Amino acid sequence: MAVRAVRGAVQLERDEAGHMEERVGALLTAILERNGLHTDDLISLWFTATPDLHSDFPAAAARKLGIVDVPLICAQELDIEGAMPRVVRVLAHIECDKPRPDVAHVYLGAAAALRKDIAQ
């Protein structure tokens, strides 16, 4: 079993806790499904949020999905002029048998423009 990293991001339409829970939950669910993973395969999750998001911690959405025994951390994304607003990014460390090129990185909605080279 290898340790791999999966990237993902989603842009929120508005800064509201319920909306963040919905969109981050959809992102995490897509990462798990597209990679054939279960929560037991997760090692840790790192979240970043752009400085314009204040309503909740992205990690709260993971906890509400039942990801309760995995280390989670949230940080603020760099405040870069011209960067896409209202974005939550995740870096998931996982255990899986897939070769690195077969790992599916997930960029939902408008966030797909952030990494056209790896967005699936």
Side-chain angles (χ1 to χ4, degrees), residues 1-6 35-38 40-44 92-98:
M1 190 77 57
V3 174
R4 300 285 184 230
V6 183
N35 286 288
L37 300 171
H38 302 280
D40 288 345
D41 300 318
L42 298 173
I43 297 169
S44 65
H93 298 99
I94 63 170
E95 290 181 318
C96 74
D97 291 325
K98 288 184 175 196

Side-chain angles (χ1 to χ4, degrees), residues 39-91:
T39 56
D40 288 345
D41 300 318
L42 298 173
I43 297 169
S44 65
L45 297 172
W46 286 72
F47 295 95
T48 63
T50 51
D52 51 2
L53 294 175
H54 307 280
S55 62
D56 204 356
F57 295 99
R63 297 289 183 225
K64 289 184 180 175
L65 279 179
I67 302 172
V68 296
D69 62 348
V70 175
L72 308 176
I73 192 164
C74 297
Q76 188 175 74
E77 190 72 31
L78 294 173
D79 190 9
I80 304 298
E81 187 174 326
M84 184 180 287
R86 300 177 316 281
V87 174
V88 174
R89 292 173 173 83
V90 64
L91 175 63

Side-chain angles (χ1 to χ4, degrees), residues 84 105 107 109-120:
M84 184 180 287
H105 304 281
Y107 289 77
L114 295 170
R115 290 298 306 265
K116 292 180 183 178
D117 57 326
I118 64 172
Q120 314 246 325

